Amino acid sequence: PESDGLFDVGATYSTGLGSRYGEGYVIEVRWATLSKIPETLVMESESAVENILNSRLSEEFPGKNLRVVHDGDVMKIVGDLSLNEPL
């Protein structure tokens, strides 16, 4: 759906101050419209993003135990964020 231009998904690093999960990447779903988006569509889209990320994280980062969690009002990728592989 991101390719359709209706919304964009991005991630921003957070040190996790005040978070019960600690550091991670906050997932943002930004809508490209001036219209009010129905809450059911927002929830459906965020659920789709969460499911896709959870299935792809283990494929893209094997052994890192990364997962998407709900941290307050935001979705966040948490787990082993170390860069233990040489560049």
Side-chain angles (χ1 to χ4, degrees):
E2 183 180 15
S3 301
D4 295 340
L6 182 56
F7 66 89
D8 179 50
V9 178
T12 306
Y13 178 75
S14 169
T15 59
L17 296 175
S19 165
R20 70 182 217 189
Y21 293 101
E23 68 177 334
Y25 286 89
V26 174
I27 305 301
E28 295 179 83
V29 179
R30 294 177 292 273
W31 292 87
T33 181
L34 297 176
S35 300
K36 172 91 172 103
I37 306 297
E39 189 62 29
T40 55
L41 182 57
V42 170
M43 290 173 32
E44 181 181 312
S45 300
E46 288 181 355
S47 178
V49 167
E50 181 178 358
N51 290 335
I52 290 168
L53 284 173
N54 273 323
S55 69
R56 298 284 309 272
L57 283 170
S58 61
E59 294 172 17
E60 298 295 327
F61 303 97
K64 290 290 190 178
N65 192 27
L66 297 172
R67 66 193 185 288
V68 177
V69 298
H70 289 270
D71 194 7
D73 293 336
V74 299
M75 284 187 294
K76 189 172 173 181
I77 298 173
V78 297
D80 180 2
L81 302 175
S82 67
L83 299 173
N84 58 359
E85 304 242 351
L87 296 176

